[in-house]
């Protein structure tokens, strides 16, 4: 169950990063709404990380949480913010995914 909370928390980390990107692109009320979304996603993400780390080792939980956030944010950047999907970005993104999965398998 705590792994599921950690994964969901990582997805909310992607949400707050995406909201931060939208804050940068907008202005006025729309920017404030995206900032509010950022704060909500941030709070939920942190709460779920705290809950998951009660039974998972903090080093593993934090690494997986940030890894999910990093992978998701790069993918959002590529597919939503039109950032380049170069060979090197995809290669290093793949190694990050392999590392996250590896941490899951070696953690008791």
């Amino acid at each position: 169950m705590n792994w599921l909370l950690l994964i969901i928390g990582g997805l909310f980390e992607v949400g707050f990063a995406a909201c931060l990107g939208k804050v940068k692109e907008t202005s006025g009320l729309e920017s404030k709404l995206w900032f509010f979304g950022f704060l909500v996603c941030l709070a939920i993400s942190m709460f779920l990380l705290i809950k998951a780390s009660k039974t998972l080792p903090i080093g593993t939980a934090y690494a997986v949480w940030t890894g999910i956030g990093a992978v998701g944010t790069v993918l959002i950047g590529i597919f939503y913010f039109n950032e380049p999907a170069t060979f090197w970005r995809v290669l290093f993104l793949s190694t990050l995914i392999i590392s996250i999965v590896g941490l899951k398998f070696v953690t008791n």
Side-chain angles (χ1 to χ4, degrees):
M1 180 63 174
N2 287 315
W3 280 103
L4 181 60
L5 293 177
L6 190 61
I7 291 168
I8 294 169
L11 294 175
F12 273 98
E13 185 183 1
V14 174
F16 78 70
C19 288
L20 194 58
K22 291 301 284 183
V23 166
K24 187 176 88 170
E25 291 182 349
T26 58
S27 61
L29 178 62
E30 185 179 3
S31 181
K32 287 179 174 70
L33 291 173
W34 282 111
F35 183 71
F36 179 72
F38 163 81
L39 292 176
V40 170
C41 288
L42 177 66
I44 293 170
S45 181
M46 292 291 173
F47 173 76
L48 293 172
L49 174 62
I50 290 167
K51 292 290 282 182
S53 66
K54 297 232 186 235
T55 58
L56 298 174
I58 189 63
T60 300
Y62 185 75
V64 170
W65 178 77
T66 57
I68 291 169
V71 168
T73 301
V74 170
L75 293 175
I76 291 291
I78 290 170
F79 292 112
Y80 189 71
F81 292 109
N82 298 317
E83 294 177 359
T86 64
F87 168 79
W88 292 110
R89 288 185 88 192
V90 173
L91 174 72
F92 291 122
L93 190 63
S94 300
T95 61
L96 184 55
I97 293 168
I98 291 166
S99 298
I100 293 167
V101 172
L103 280 173
K104 161 69 171 105
F105 283 117
V106 300
T107 301
N108 295 330

